[in-house]
Structures are given as C-alpha cells and as structure tokens.
C-alpha cells in the first residue's frame, strides 16, 4: 500500500495536507509546524502504545526501531505531541473535524493490509 501526505499549506503553527492512498484522496491531515517530520519515505506499522493503552499506526524511518510519529485522531495542532499527524475533514486551517471517524476507517484499512502481509510505505511531500 502506498500512502502519500501532500502538504498543501504551511502556516506559523500548522501544516495542512491531504492523505492519498493508492492515488485516491482519503482525508485531510494536520501537523504541528514546529515538530513535523521532514519530507521523505517512512515505513508504517501498527504498534501498541502503552501511554494510550491501544495500538496506533506509527511511522518508522530506515532500519530504526523507534517510531518517529503516529497517525492519530484529534482536533488541531495544539493537542499534538511530537511529530504526530492528525487525520480528519478540514474545518479551518490547522483544525479538522470528524477525526475519530476518519481515523477508525484508516486504522482498519491499514490493519487489514498488514494482516494480508502487505507492506505500507508513507511518503511525505512538500
């Protein structure tokens, strides 16, 4: 599975973008402008995060076994920790709505793809 995050707008506090899976736009994304990941290619795996007490899609770079960021639900950049990426439907710049619904659909899609033995690559493009 090939996922692209196409960053469309960079503001002082947020970076807005669109998530495209296999050529089809799925949802909008919001990242914190200070902590966002550099453009590049990342491996996606679902990992249990103890602080959240649940499994989350995490981004890894190269052979590093430490997650660089998570794809998560939320409303805006002020609830972000580290370089995490929030998914949802854009409400205003730097803020999304219907995030839980978008996250749940995305999570199931990623989980099923990994269960079938497919690899998931995410490319972040400026």
């Amino acid at each position: 599975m090939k996922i692209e995050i196409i960053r469309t707008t960079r503001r002082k506090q947020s970076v807005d973008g669109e998530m495209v899976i296999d050529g089809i736009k799925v949802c909008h994304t919001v990242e914190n402008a200070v902590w966002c990941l550099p453009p590049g290619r990342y491996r996606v795996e679902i990992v249990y995060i103890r602080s959240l007490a649940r499994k989350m899609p995490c981004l890894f770079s190269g052979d590093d076994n430490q997650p660089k960021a998570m794809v998560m639900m939320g409303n805006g950049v002020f609830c972000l920790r580290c370089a995490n990426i929030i998914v949802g439907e854009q409400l205003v710049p730097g803020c999304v709505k219907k995030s839980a619904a978008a996250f749940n659909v995305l999570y199931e899609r990623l989980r099923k793809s990994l269960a079938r033995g497919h690899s998931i690559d995410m490319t972040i493009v400026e």
Side-chain angles (χ1 to χ4, degrees):
M1 178 183 289
K2 303 290 183 202
I3 302 174
E4 266 189 319
I5 292 183
I6 302 167
R7 293 178 175 159
T8 56
T9 310
R10 182 177 283 272
R11 293 188 161 60
K12 184 177 180 180
Q13 296 174 340
S14 68
V15 178
D16 300 321
E18 296 178 343
M19 182 177 284
V20 177
I21 299 178
D22 296 330
I24 300 170
K25 181 184 164 196
V26 177
C27 61
H28 290 95
T29 62
V30 175
E31 301 172 69
N32 189 306
V34 176
W35 295 322
C36 63
L37 291 172
R41 192 174 189 180
Y42 299 90
R43 180 179 83 249
V44 178
E45 293 181 17
I46 295 179
V47 177
Y48 182 79
I49 305 297
R50 191 167 25 150
S51 62
L52 299 175
R54 67 171 292 164
K55 292 183 177 182
M56 297 292 284
C58 294
L59 281 65
F60 297 83
S61 63
D63 294 331
D64 192 6
N65 288 331
Q66 292 296 321
K68 300 294 180 193
M70 286 187 294
V71 177
M72 60 187 297
M73 58 187 106
N75 294 104
V77 295
F78 297 110
C79 67
L80 281 177
R81 293 182 275 166
C82 304
N84 296 333
I85 302 167
I86 294 177
V87 295
E89 186 180 311
Q90 188 173 30
L91 181 61
V92 295
C95 186
V96 293
K97 64 180 182 177
K98 299 181 182 176
S99 183
F103 175 83
N104 290 335
V105 169
L106 177 65
Y107 179 84
E108 281 304 308
R109 193 168 178 179
L110 296 175
R111 186 187 65 75
K112 288 177 182 177
S113 182
L114 289 171
R116 291 182 189 122
H118 299 276
S119 63
I120 303 173
D121 293 322
M122 182 179 288
T123 305
I124 299 176
V125 181
E126 285 282 341

